[in-house]
Amino acid sequence: MPSPSQIIVFATPVFLVLILLEWAWGKRKQRNTYRMADAINSLGLGVLSQISAVFMSLLRIGIYTAAFEYVALWRADAFWTSWYGWLVALLFYDLCYYWLHRMGHESAVLWAAHVVHHQSQHYNLSTALRQTSSGALLGWIFYLPMALAGVPPVVFGVVALIDLLYQFWVHTEHVPKLSWFDRWFCSPSNHRVHHAVNDRYLDKNYGGILIIWDRIFGSFKEEDEREKPLYGTRAPLNSWDPLWANAEVYWALAQDSWRARRWSDKLRVWLKPPGWRPPDVAARWPKSPFDITTVRLFEPPVSRGVQWFAGIQFIALLAGAALFLWRADSAPLIDSALWFGVLLAGLWAVGGLLQGRIGIWQVLMIESAALASVTAALGLMDGHRVFKPMVMVCAIAFVATRVRALQAPTDKSRIRFELLLALGLGFSMLGDVALMFEGYFIPGLMAFLFAHLTYIALFKRGVSWFPSRGALLATLSIGLGMYAFLWVGGLPPALRIPVAAYVIVIALMAAQAIGRFRASGDRESLMVALGASVFMLSDALLAINRFVTPFPLAQLGVLVTYYVAQILITVYARPVRAPQVRPTILESA
């Protein structure tokens, strides 16, 4: 019998075909309800929800199973596995879902999870797949009554899947009202009301399969053809970042809780309805009231080439997610965690591309870095030898695009700066290739030595040598301490001089970067200084693992920190801007 994850894999092509059919129908009727970036974001959040569910299953199924085994009040498996028992279980689940769904709109901490499903400003079948990754943290509580009633876990799992799959088709604007069906079941018309932010529609129609729960408990509202629903949330996400989509409300609640003066308010922030704020917090950090007339669609401009690239990238990520889910139940947990990181990095990068925060070469750089790190950690050396040099190739290509965008002769200094950066990346690539093969540690070390010398020259441009004496003393002290640790730990005599030279150079590189930030004070220099500091950490991890004592997942730690450092330097390295100096009183006079 296939696992729930594998059933989702089987269902995915059906979902995609239906989405394409809805898109084609909308185009034909000149009423297209899709925007590419929004659809990719919704589908990406669905992918993230499913792959993260692999690690959250303990909360939902595990706790449910434990409750069923130890505290069930009535055990009658024969009843629950009969045809009428299955029907009762489905109705039972749908009632529990109604209350979970309703409380997801009436309690801020539950809304923080559920909000993901409502963030899209468009209403189509891709919106149905837009799901939270944190819902299982508290959602399992609402299904405990089924465990107490003795509903077997397998029955619970199947009816949960049925209830979820049913709700896919109701996310469309192309199905009109359905007469008697609307009175009993959750239908497209009823669910359009649920997703609307209009005053008359807000927080209505919570039913999953049946809408009669809303009629019974007073939360039903019929769609009025004279008032078109406006979709999204009253505090628009305005981002294609899947991580921020899941975290935005949690972050806002944490801020309000931290700022509240009264301890009771710090707790009530999480439990009160969404939008409630402690009076003192609302007074000091006011927010504008919702005005439906000011709502604008979030649609950052994206070129056709970027759209094609993002589409291809997302298809590849979708295939990777399908493979991940297919093997999730049999793969070691650590393997699943590592591949989850790769998929997460890819989804984040595609979102950043569609939002215009990063470019194509940066996407490829991030994805290659993730793949190089994971293939090394899992011992997949054939793949590692492909992806590791590819990171630096993409970084150099990214720098080349910045050079092409410059206009000579006014930008000659900037061009020299970018070429020096590319030279440092080139030396790094040589070091990467050398360290992939046994017996080439010294050539690799020398290549990175030249890379760091190049970075020192790069960070020197526009500022003096080592503007911060404190930073110089600190980095050299850290380097000396690390070198002493390696010496005592077993550094081979033949490597003592080369490693000493390397430690001095990387300490000087970090000191120059930190001093550069102290001199300029701009954000770009701060990120470069952070990158240079992380570089020291990466090399320390490499040296400890190689010369002192191997430790678990050393390759992963070394490469992740290494790529974070290189990406920060590549993306943020710019000629320093002259600091703004206020004129003195005499100069003003």
Side-chain angles (χ1 to χ4, degrees), residues 93 113 174 195 215 320 514:
Y93 181 92
H174 294 296
H195 274 259
R215 294 181 181 275
I514 296 169

Side-chain angles (χ1 to χ4, degrees), residues 24-78:
W25 178 263
K27 294 285 284 187
R28 180 181 178 183
K29 294 294 184 179
Q30 297 184 337
R31 192 187 172 199
N32 183 20
T33 58
Y34 283 86
R35 296 296 181 272
M36 181 182 179
D38 175 81
I40 286 179
N41 186 241
S42 292
L43 293 173
L45 283 161
V47 168
L48 182 58
S49 174
Q50 289 301 316
I51 61 178
S52 61
V54 170
F55 308 99
M56 305 286 277
S57 59
L58 177 63
L59 286 175
R60 189 174 188 184
I61 301 298
I63 294 178
Y64 183 94
T65 301
F68 169 79
E69 291 290 344
Y70 298 108
V71 297
L73 302 177
W74 181 54
R75 294 292 293 268
D77 291 8

Side-chain angles (χ1 to χ4, degrees), residues 441-442 445 449 479 482-483 486-487 491-492 494-506 543 547:
F441 180 77
I442 292 297
L445 189 69
L449 188 68
M482 175 54 62
Y483 185 74
L486 296 176
W487 183 295
L491 183 66
L495 292 176
R496 288 173 180 172
I497 293 177
V499 169
Y502 186 86
V503 168
I504 292 172
V505 169
I506 194 170
F547 301 122

Side-chain angles (χ1 to χ4, degrees), residues 209-381:
I209 293 178
L210 297 176
I211 205 68
I212 58 172
W213 309 124
D214 292 280
R215 294 181 181 275
I216 292 171
F217 298 114
S219 56
F220 177 76
K221 186 70 177 180
E222 186 175 1
E223 183 181 23
D224 189 337
E225 295 179 355
R226 294 169 298 179
E227 183 170 353
K228 183 180 179 350
L230 187 69
Y231 305 109
T233 59
R234 292 195 161 197
L237 175 65
N238 289 342
S239 173
W240 302 136
D241 185 338
L243 294 177
W244 181 240
N246 278 280
E248 60 148 349
V249 175
Y250 288 111
W251 176 246
L253 293 174
Q255 284 184 309
D256 282 354
S257 180
W258 175 262
R259 292 166 173 170
R261 292 193 178 101
R262 297 174 58 186
W263 283 99
S264 58
D265 284 343
K266 291 179 182 294
L267 176 61
R268 289 201 295 169
V269 161
W270 301 90
L271 303 179
K272 295 284 274 185
W276 182 87
R277 307 179 74 204
D280 60 310
V281 176
R284 286 182 291 159
W285 290 275
K287 292 182 180 180
S288 301
F290 175 74
D291 182 355
I292 199 168
T293 63
T294 64
V295 174
R296 299 291 181 271
L297 292 180
F298 178 71
E299 294 182 338
V302 182
S303 69
R304 187 169 296 275
V306 167
Q307 290 184 38
W308 274 101
F309 178 82
I312 293 170
Q313 286 285 300
F314 185 74
I315 290 171
L317 288 167
L318 201 58
L323 181 61
F324 174 91
L325 291 172
W326 189 261
R327 299 181 63 251
D329 293 328
S330 59
L333 185 61
I334 186 62
D335 289 21
S336 295
L338 292 176
W339 288 116
F340 173 83
V342 172
L343 293 169
L344 180 60
L347 291 169
W348 182 88
V350 170
L353 175 69
L354 290 171
Q355 198 168 326
R357 290 182 298 151
I358 61 176
I360 289 176
W361 286 114
Q362 289 165 285
V363 171
L364 293 173
M365 204 186 338
I366 291 168
E367 292 176 341
S368 298
L371 287 165
S373 301
V374 169
T375 50
L378 297 178
L380 304 174
M381 298 314 297

